[in-house]
Amino acid sequence: MRLPQSKFGQLQYLEGRADGWETNQAAIGVELTLAQSTVTKTTNARALYDDYQQKRQDAKDARVEWLSAIGSAVDDGRACIRSIDSFAKNSANPDAVYALASIAPPKEREPLGAPDVPTDLSIGLDTQGRASVRWAGSRVGGTVFGVQRRTASTGGQLGPWTTLATVPERVFLDQTTPSGVASVQYRVRGERVGGVSAYSSPIVLPLGASGNGEESLALLGGQGAQSGAA
């Protein structure tokens, strides 16, 4: 089969040859009735194709008109709802107004509870030897983050957790990073009006002092999980 694969390509192929087949049917071995039928059907196919293309364009134009119309209607509808809301809130029986308007009354906002525990803690030292802690956590509802620190001595003793700051971003630069200790640990919790989360599991930054390497390595494996707020 020498015709092109695409339907439009086939139409163009026949348009370029069918008339010649009819004119020269005897010389090229084609029956006259077959050649004439091919010309007729090709002409009809062209007319239907052109009509199809026009309808496709008409459909695109109709879609644009429909989207414009519904957009305009929605703008007015929203304005109506705002007006109904305002009227209902200032009426003696708001529910009756909403019922008459066949719209649901607005739901009272439920207060947000405590935020999720921050996750994915990471830590490193900047060029000035300050610890930089980062984490993942939602800022929804004005959530801020409380950061605590404790140290591990070269003798393996853990100090108490000390609150360093409450920050709005998911990063904390410790301006008072201690020295002369085996490691320093940080943990973070989310805080907002609805409550506070548990603290994350501590993340550990070994500082090179000897005597606490095993404990530091063990703690490094537990970063990012939830722990109780000690």
Side-chain angles (χ1 to χ4, degrees):
M1 186 69 172
R2 298 180 182 179
L3 271 68
Q5 294 296 316
S6 72
K7 295 302 181 184
F8 183 67
Q10 292 169 358
L11 174 62
Q12 291 180 311
Y13 182 95
L14 292 174
E15 284 181 324
R17 293 165 177 78
D19 286 340
W21 293 348
E22 181 183 10
T23 301
N24 302 299
Q25 54 86 24
I28 61 176
V30 176
E31 291 185 4
L32 178 59
T33 55
L34 178 59
Q36 290 173 334
S37 177
T38 303
V39 170
T40 299
K41 291 179 179 178
T42 299
T43 301
N44 183 56
R46 164 55 72 176
L48 291 173
Y49 175 81
D50 291 344
D51 182 61
Y52 161 65
Q53 291 298 321
Q54 183 60 53
K55 287 178 178 177
R56 286 185 63 187
Q57 185 59 51
D58 291 344
K60 291 179 182 178
D61 294 342
R63 184 175 184 275
V64 170
E65 291 178 359
W66 136 248
L67 292 176
S68 176
I70 189 58
S72 181
V74 167
D75 288 343
D76 286 355
R78 284 175 175 162
C80 287
I81 293 172
R82 287 193 297 268
S83 180
I84 293 166
D85 275 333
S86 178
F87 183 81
K89 290 173 182 176
N90 291 288
S91 70
N93 190 348
D95 288 342
V97 174
Y98 288 119
L100 188 60
S102 300
I103 62 175
K107 294 182 179 179
E108 294 185 6
R109 289 189 176 182
E110 296 181 1
L112 291 171
D116 293 334
V117 179
T119 60
D120 301 325
L121 275 69
S122 63
I123 192 169
L125 289 174
D126 69 2
T127 56
Q128 299 181 43
R130 299 173 300 186
S132 177
V133 186
R134 296 179 179 274
W135 58 89
S138 172
R139 294 285 313 281
V140 171
T143 300
V144 294
F145 302 95
V147 183
Q148 287 192 334
R149 180 188 71 200
R150 72 178 175 184
T151 59
S153 71
T154 56
Q157 298 298 314
L158 291 173
W161 286 107
T162 302
T163 299
L164 300 179
T166 300
V167 296
E169 302 300 330
R170 287 160 287 210
V171 60
F172 172 71
L173 181 63
D174 188 355
Q175 302 285 354
T176 60
T177 303
S179 59
V181 294
S183 64
V184 60
Q185 304 174 17
Y186 296 87
R187 65 182 185 178
V188 184
R189 73 178 182 182
E191 304 174 359
R192 65 184 175 208
V193 174
V196 298
S197 74
Y199 279 102
S200 66
S201 291
I203 187 169
V204 182
L205 177 66
L207 294 177
S210 62
N212 199 37
E214 291 184 2
E215 179 181 8
S216 297
L217 289 173
L219 287 167
L220 275 169
Q223 63 190 42
Q226 179 174 337
S227 71

